[in-house]
């Protein structure tokens, strides 16, 4: 039953039960909590935080301040410390005295005992200055030390009605009697607070309410569905299909929360359109149109024309279209669009090399449509919503059920007619999203959209779906989709070739090399193939040949791709790079270097290819003993603008290593440090750099630094990477850890802490044996140190304590090393061989070796 | 009801703990007040009013004080009435009275009076008489309180003068200035601490153009609180991060970064903190990025463009020279430049008269664009403004 559903007011959230407002609050939980805390602080301390929320109509300002007031009202600590004055949304005051009266009147309505209404009546006829002073006094008396939280909507229009001197009066009162805390709203920033010369400049803590993102819009609709007891709808909204539809609505309607509240009514209640249409049209006409017309008036005639052009456009448009549509030059439109973007009338979306523009506020389109049509045509936004959300059959049914005299009928009729005669709007919007998304973005929703549009039977859509499926590793379905395009009768030859190329690639990813090569070969030999398809097929086939060890075939393919007339420069650069690698694999270093050099010098080569070629060339130089050239290569890769962090990090690590080989430890450490600190550096490179830098520090005797690097290495997030880095080098790091721990301190507690930490790290990487072994081998250093016998005992105790801290099943790995350590220390103290006899023969042999003693006779 | 009426005249004192990092400046200010009256001038939102509130809340022994924000005062009569009422309220608790004023006004007196002061015959009391008599009464009352002085904290004095000039004419504003000078010099036990975010030299310049020849505040020392000391600013930034519920893995580094990027000015620290996202981990790099975005934003309420607009307004005719100076200091690799270095750079762009350059550097310092460092080199008063200037001027 409709009447049992919670009431959510579209236009006056203060009428909605605050509990429901809490339930449907999205995106702003943090802002609400912070704002409530700020006002609370203002009431309970001498700090005063004046808040101002800025957002266009329907952005959720009243919703937010209603909840602020509600939460403050629930706080028992504020009950006797705070009074609330909520000024009428349309409150106008041309003088500060009028404003003060409005505040007092609001208080009087809520707290008549404390703020008697007679106070206002007593002011009539008095000199304004006297009245103001009298009212101030009465207000303060009524407050009796409490704080007024003054909720003021549309603060911008209030400021516009107050002269500078009246604003100064207001501010003087707030300064002289800091008993008022303001929580205001405005539709946009205004000079009264944002101009340095104005009395209230910087006075408010100003927060811009952000439009809802797609996820937030979905979250809001889902919450409303749950609140309205529509679990089925909430469930549907969570499916990829439901999520994709909300995406399309977001693309149409933007992120205005009020619109989603209105749409939710249509979703929740099939009959809602009837009840909704008239109030919605009235709201648009009365509230929005005048507002947006006023905003349009501030613009130059050409800017107005652009806005009107964008109002009529159903999707974002490039500058070229606007210029053509308005019969003017590209340049003049670009300049105007820049300004319109600064004024927040339009939004821009880069798409490839183009930038598309649309209205920043979809409600503006709606409002202007009302003014532009004189025959009560249905509002496009609602019609479009119906087209996006419903299937054609569903709309037909609803139309059939709709009474002839229903206001909603025209909407259903329009939506149904457009569905039959016009393009599928939902699919158009999906297509737009898919075109602006990276193909790497292949989440469930993207897939759902790609699947939906592919139903229309356009080959380009199918190819895109196949690519997305390939990226998602859904090989079989991808191959099926490409095959459908390939087998399509009367299909475009160009798309046929593209599908072959893509299917070949998918076969390759799925490990079906023969099918892969067959598809590439068909694409290469096809007459209708464009040079770019042939070039990429050649490069891909070359890579496949190379991976199978057929170097000659690979080089032949790369060479054909390089020499192919009309081949895309990026494919040529990549072919050169791969041919260089293949030449290197075949031992032809000179040719390898020559190919890298050509790739590096090719203007069209991407920074990624150039950096990779520089890096590979550096390695080849180093392997040939040309360290100076290697360093020069790494340096170019490091300094290359736009080089991916991965390549930069690799070049830094390799340059550091090369410096180290030449004995330049300071430069070596500096390079490792840069790699470690580089944002976006792959963890593998960071791990290698930490491993090497730790070794450098240990070698330099900088044991604290070595310990830090060891600690950082062991605690890197990805254990697999740490394991790979340490693999076969655990013994080395164990020695380093023991030496550094022993040298860095003589404090037994720190020894215990460090040995315990390292024992736990080495246990994680199956290196406890190496760690224990390092302790035994370290015995001679113990003897060489200036430490006394009790320090030696403390060292042993630290190891015993570390062993005890290990999980029980791992402790035994340190049994033998600890036995050897104890016995070794005992021997060091007395130098009596008899001490060693407590150990079995094999252990004695090990210990004697560690202590540099001759073999036992 | 008496206690409520007293509250009318006195601002609610701020708890000292709410205002951080001004102790040294306040001590210095009290020492300076021992000797003479003061004019405190600095950028808007730097915290001048907060300082006065803290001084008022922590009055040292031997001082009485009252505070009034004067920007809502529009006539000399209102001003005189306010001074009288403030004085009366201060003395109420001391069981002293303003004897001569009581005689002047008849039965009504003190905080019971509303609006301007009226004589028993209903005429408005002459404002100069009210001010002089109130001060004389105050001196007399103070004489009965050994080792006690009175300080009037008057906030936003330039705005009051502007209001009076608008409503009653510049002549009246000049007379108010003259009487302020007279009152502050005549009585050794009374001090004035005036504040304003507009440099008083601009107010005087406007009046001088009307023939006014006085230098009413020459005998006052100018004081400038400036940004917070880094240590206190960082602590304030840290408390802002906590207050706003921001997530910072390295809170110390974030506070230090926030404070430094905001040039250690609490206002900008608050504004920048308000821009930080509530749901992601805040890092120094993120704070830096948010500042960069704010400085480039077309939708900012920081109004840094004020510094550009104002050049035109306050340096008519020499705007080009001022822009050349500021551009030079913004673009230089070393943010502090000596006079010779500035002269050299500016002379590349235009012919430079050395004396004009010196004078403009002095004025730019008075208007808080620039400041001179210990090496006598000039740099931007706030690095934040320099950063914005570089972006705005595409340097």
């Amino acid at each position: 039953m409709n009447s049992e559903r919670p009431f959510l007011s579209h236009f006056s959230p203060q009428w909605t039960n605050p509990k429901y407002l809490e339930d449907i609050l999205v995106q702003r939980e943090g802002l609400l909590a912070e704002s409530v805390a700020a006002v609370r602080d203002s009431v309970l301390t001498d700090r005063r935080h004046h808040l101002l929320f800025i957002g266009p109509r329907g952005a959720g300002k009243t919703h937010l301040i209603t909840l602020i007031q509600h939460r403050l009202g629930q706080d028992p600590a504020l009950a006797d410390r705070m009074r609330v004055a909520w000024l009428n949304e349309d409150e106008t005051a041309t003088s500060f005295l009028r404003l003060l009266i409005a505040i007092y009147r609001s208080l009087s309505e809520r707290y008549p005992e404390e703020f008697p209404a007679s106070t206002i009546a007593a002011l009539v006829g008095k000199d304004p200055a006297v009245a103001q002073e009298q009212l101030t006094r009465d207000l303060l008396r009524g407050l009796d030390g409490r704080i007024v939280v003054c909720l003021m909507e549309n603060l911008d229009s209030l400021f516009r009605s107050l002269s500078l001197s009246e604003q100064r009066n207001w501010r003087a009162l707030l300064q002289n009697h800091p008993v008022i805390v303001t929580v205001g709203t405005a539709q946009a920033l205004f000079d009264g607070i944002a101009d340095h010369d104005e009395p209230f400049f910087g006075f408010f803590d100003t927060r811009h309410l952000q439009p809802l993102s797609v996820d937030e819009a979905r979250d809001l609709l889902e919450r409303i569905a749950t609140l309205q007891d529509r679990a089925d709808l909430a469930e549907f909204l969570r499916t990829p299909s439901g999520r994709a539809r909300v995406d399309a609505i977001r693309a149409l309607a933007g992120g205005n929360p009020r619109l989603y509240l209105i749409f939710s009514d249509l979703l929740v209640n099939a009959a809602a359109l009837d009840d909704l249409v008239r109030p919605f049209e009235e709201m648009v006409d009365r509230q929005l149109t005048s507002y947006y017309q006023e905003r349009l008036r501030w613009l130059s005639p050409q800017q107005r024309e652009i806005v009107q052009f964008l109002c009529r456009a159903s999707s974002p448009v490039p500058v070229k279209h606007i210029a053509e549509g308005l019969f003017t030059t590209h340049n003049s439109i670009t300049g105007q669009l820049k300004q319109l973007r600064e004024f927040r009338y339009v939004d821009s979306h880069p798409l490839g090399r183009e930038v598309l523009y649309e209205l920043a506020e979809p409600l503006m389109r709606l409002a202007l449509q009302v003014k532009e049509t004189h025959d009560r045509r249905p509002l496009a936004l609602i019609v479009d919503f119906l087209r996006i959300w419903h299937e054609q059959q569903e709309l037909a049914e609803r139309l059939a059920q709709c009474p002839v005299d229903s206001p909603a009928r025209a909407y259903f009729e329009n939506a149904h007619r457009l569905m039959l005669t016009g393009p599928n709007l939902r699919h158009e919007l999906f297509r737009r999203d898919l075109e602006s998304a990276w193909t790497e973005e292949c989440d469930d929703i993207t897939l759902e959209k790609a699947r939906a549009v592919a139903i229309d039977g356009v080959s380009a859509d199918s190819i895109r779906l196949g690519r997305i499926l390939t990226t998602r590793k859904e090989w079989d379905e991808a191959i099926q989709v490409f095959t459908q395009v390939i087998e399509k009768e009367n299909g475009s030859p160009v798309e046929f070739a593209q599908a072959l190329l893509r299917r070949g690639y998918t076969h390759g990813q799925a490990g079906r090399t023969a099918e892969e090569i067959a598809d590439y070969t068909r694409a290469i030999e096809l007459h209708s193939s464009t040079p770019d398809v042939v070039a990429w097929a050649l490069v891909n086939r070359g890579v496949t040949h190379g991976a199978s060890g057929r170097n000659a075939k690979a080089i032949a393919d790369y060479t054909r791709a390089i020499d192919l007339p009309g081949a895309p420069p990026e494919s040529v650069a990549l072919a050169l790079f791969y041919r260089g690698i293949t030449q290197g694999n075949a031992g032809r270093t000179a040719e390898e270097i020559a190919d890298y050099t050509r790739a590096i010098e090719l203007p069209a080569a991407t920074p990624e290819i150039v950096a990779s070629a520089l890096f590979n060339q550096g390695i080849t130089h180093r392997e040939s003993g040309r360290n100076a050239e290697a360093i020069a290569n790494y340096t170019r890769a490091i300094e290359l603008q736009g080089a991916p962090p991965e390549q930069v990090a690799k070049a830094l690590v390799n340059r550091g290593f090369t410096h180290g080989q030449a004995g330049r430890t300071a430069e070596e450490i500096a390079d490792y440090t840069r790699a470690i600190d580089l944002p976006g550096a792959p963890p593998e490179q960071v791990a290698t750099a930490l491993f090497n830098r730790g070794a450098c520090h240990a070698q330099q005797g900088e044991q604290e630094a070595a310990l830090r690097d060891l600690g950082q290495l062991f605690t890197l997030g990805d254990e697999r990477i740490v394991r790979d880095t340490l693999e076969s080098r655990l013994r080395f790091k164990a020695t380093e850890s023991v030496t550094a721990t022993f040298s860095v301190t003589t404090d037994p507690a720190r020894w215990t802490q460090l040995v315990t930490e390292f024992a736990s790290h080495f246990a994680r990487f199956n290196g406890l044996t190496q760690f224990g072994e390092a302790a035994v081998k370290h015995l001679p250093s113990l003897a060489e140190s200036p430490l006394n016998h009790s320090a030696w005992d403390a060292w042993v105790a630290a190891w015993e304590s570390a062993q005890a801290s290990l999980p029980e099943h791992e402790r035994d790995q340190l049994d033998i090393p600890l036995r050897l350590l104890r016995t070794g220390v005992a021997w060091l103290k007395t130098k009596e061989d008899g001490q060693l006899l407590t150990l079995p023969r094999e252990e004695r042999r090990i210990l004697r070796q560690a202590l540099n003693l001759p073999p036992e006779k | 009801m008496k206690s409520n009426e007293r509250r009318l005249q006195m601002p609610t004192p701020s708890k000292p703990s709410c205002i951080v990092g001004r102790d040294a400046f306040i001590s210095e200010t009290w020492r300076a007040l021992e000797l003479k009256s003061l004019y405190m001038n600095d950028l808007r939102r730097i915290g001048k009013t907060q300082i006065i509130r803290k001084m008022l809340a922590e009055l040292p022994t031997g001082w009485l004080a009252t505070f009034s924000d004067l920007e809502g005062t529009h006539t000399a009569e209102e001003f005189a009435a306010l001074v009288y009422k403030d004085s009366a309220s201060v003395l109420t608790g001391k069981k002293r009275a303003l004897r001569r004023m009581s005689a002047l006004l008849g039965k009504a007196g003190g905080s019971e009076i509303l609006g301007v002061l009226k004589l028993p015959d209903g005429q408005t009391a002459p404002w100069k008489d009210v001010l002089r008599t109130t001060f004389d009464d105050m001196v007399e009352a103070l004489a009965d309180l050994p080792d006690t002085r009175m300080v009037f904290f008057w906030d936003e004095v330039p705005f009051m003068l502007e209001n009076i000039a608008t409503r009653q004419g510049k002549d009246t504003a000049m007379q108010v200035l003259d009487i302020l000078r007279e009152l502050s010099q005549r009585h050794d036990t009374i001090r004035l601490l005036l504040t304003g975010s507009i440099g008083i030299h601009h107010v005087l310049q406007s009046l001088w153009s009307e023939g006014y020849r006085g230098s009413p505040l020459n005998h006052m020392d100018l004081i400038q609180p400036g940004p917070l000391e880094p240590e206190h600013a960082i602590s304030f930034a840290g408390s802002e991060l906590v207050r706003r519920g921001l997530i910072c893995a390295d809170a110390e580094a974030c506070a230090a970064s926030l404070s430094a990027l905001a040039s250690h000015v609490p206002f900008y620290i608050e504004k920048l903190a308000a821009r930080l996202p509530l749901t992601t981990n805040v890092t120094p790099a993120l704070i830096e990025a948010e500042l960069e975005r704010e400085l480039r934003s077309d939708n900012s309420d920081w109004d840094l463009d004020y510094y550009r607009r104002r050049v035109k307004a306050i340096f008519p005719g020499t705007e080009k020279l001022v822009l050349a100076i500021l551009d030079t200091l913004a673009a230089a690799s070393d943010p502090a430049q000596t006079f010779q270095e500035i002269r050299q750079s500016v002379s590349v762009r235009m012919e430079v008269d050395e004396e004009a350059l010196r004078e403009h550097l002095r004025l730019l310092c008075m208007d808080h664009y620039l400041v001179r460092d210990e090496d006598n080199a000039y740099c931007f008063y706030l690095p934040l403004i320099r950063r914005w200037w570089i972006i705005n001027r595409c340097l």
Side-chain angles (χ1 to χ4, degrees), chain A residues 133 137 175-176 196 198, chain B residues 44 53 69 85 111 303:
Chain A
E133 209 173 328
R137 175 181 290 195
Q175 293 289 64
N176 286 327
H196 210 289
E198 298 293 325
Chain B
R44 289 197 72 181
R53 288 193 187 288
D69 182 309
K85 282 183 266 185
S111 54
D303 196 28

Side-chain angles (χ1 to χ4, degrees), chain A residues 50 232 268 280 286 345 374 404 416 427 485 576-577 581 612 660 692 771 782 791:
Chain A
H50 300 269
D232 57 326
V268 167
F280 187 65
R286 278 192 211 150
Y345 281 77
H374 305 283
V404 180
H416 189 244
H427 290 185
V485 178
L576 280 166
F577 174 67
I581 294 175
S612 302
N692 290 359
F771 190 47
L782 210 65

Side-chain angles (χ1 to χ4, degrees), chain A residues 385-392 394-395 398 419 426:
Chain A
F385 169 79
L386 296 171
R387 289 169 69 196
I388 289 172
W389 197 262
H390 298 291
E391 299 298 342
Q392 190 247 321
E394 210 178 337
L395 265 186
R398 293 189 69 174
M419 260 191 157
R426 191 198 304 159

Side-chain angles (χ1 to χ4, degrees), chain A residues 100-171:
Chain A
L100 203 56
I101 289 172
I103 294 172
Y104 192 93
R105 190 170 281 138
S106 172
L107 288 167
S108 175
E109 281 162 13
R110 280 174 186 248
Y111 318 100
E113 298 286 311
E114 293 162 9
F115 304 94
S118 57
T119 300
I120 304 284
L123 299 176
V124 176
K126 290 199 170 167
D127 173 78
V130 172
Q132 183 180 312
E133 209 173 328
Q134 172 72 57
L135 187 56
T136 304
R137 175 181 290 195
D138 290 338
L139 176 72
L140 294 170
R141 183 178 291 130
L143 283 171
D144 193 20
R146 300 184 191 93
I147 299 293
V148 189
V149 175
C150 194
L151 306 170
M152 305 170 95
E153 296 194 77
N154 296 332
L155 208 57
D156 43 346
S157 68
L158 182 64
F159 264 78
R160 270 193 287 277
S161 66
L162 288 174
S163 67
L164 179 70
S165 69
E166 294 298 337
Q167 288 179 33
R168 283 184 178 165
N169 287 346
W170 180 4
R171 193 170 179 280

Side-chain angles (χ1 to χ4, degrees), chain A residues 318-391:
Chain A
V319 180
K320 186 168 167 273
H321 284 194
I322 306 174
E324 285 170 0
L326 297 179
F327 306 99
T328 183
T329 63
H330 191 282
N331 281 353
S332 67
I333 295 294
T334 307
Q336 301 294 351
L337 280 170
K338 184 173 177 292
Q339 279 200 344
L340 286 170
R341 201 155 55 88
E342 286 170 5
F343 299 157
R344 293 173 69 114
Y345 281 77
V346 302
D347 275 343
S348 60
H349 310 280
L351 177 63
R353 290 181 185 167
E354 267 185 336
V355 179
L356 304 182
Y357 290 89
E358 67 177 342
L359 288 181
E361 292 179 39
L363 287 178
M364 181 178 250
R365 176 180 295 130
L366 198 64
L368 296 181
Q369 189 205 348
V370 169
K371 279 295 151 195
E372 281 197 348
T373 57
H374 305 283
D375 51 359
R376 279 200 88 107
R377 257 187 274 160
L379 295 171
L381 187 73
I382 300 287
V383 173
D384 287 347
F385 169 79
L386 296 171
R387 289 169 69 196
I388 289 172
W389 197 262
H390 298 291
E391 299 298 342

Side-chain angles (χ1 to χ4, degrees), chain A residues 124 138 213 223 273 327 397 412 570 630 661 690 709 726 783:
Chain A
V124 176
D138 290 338
S213 68
R223 286 171 187 235
L273 193 57
F327 306 99
E397 283 166 16
F412 286 124
E570 304 87 47
Q661 281 192 319
L690 280 168
D709 284 341
L726 289 173

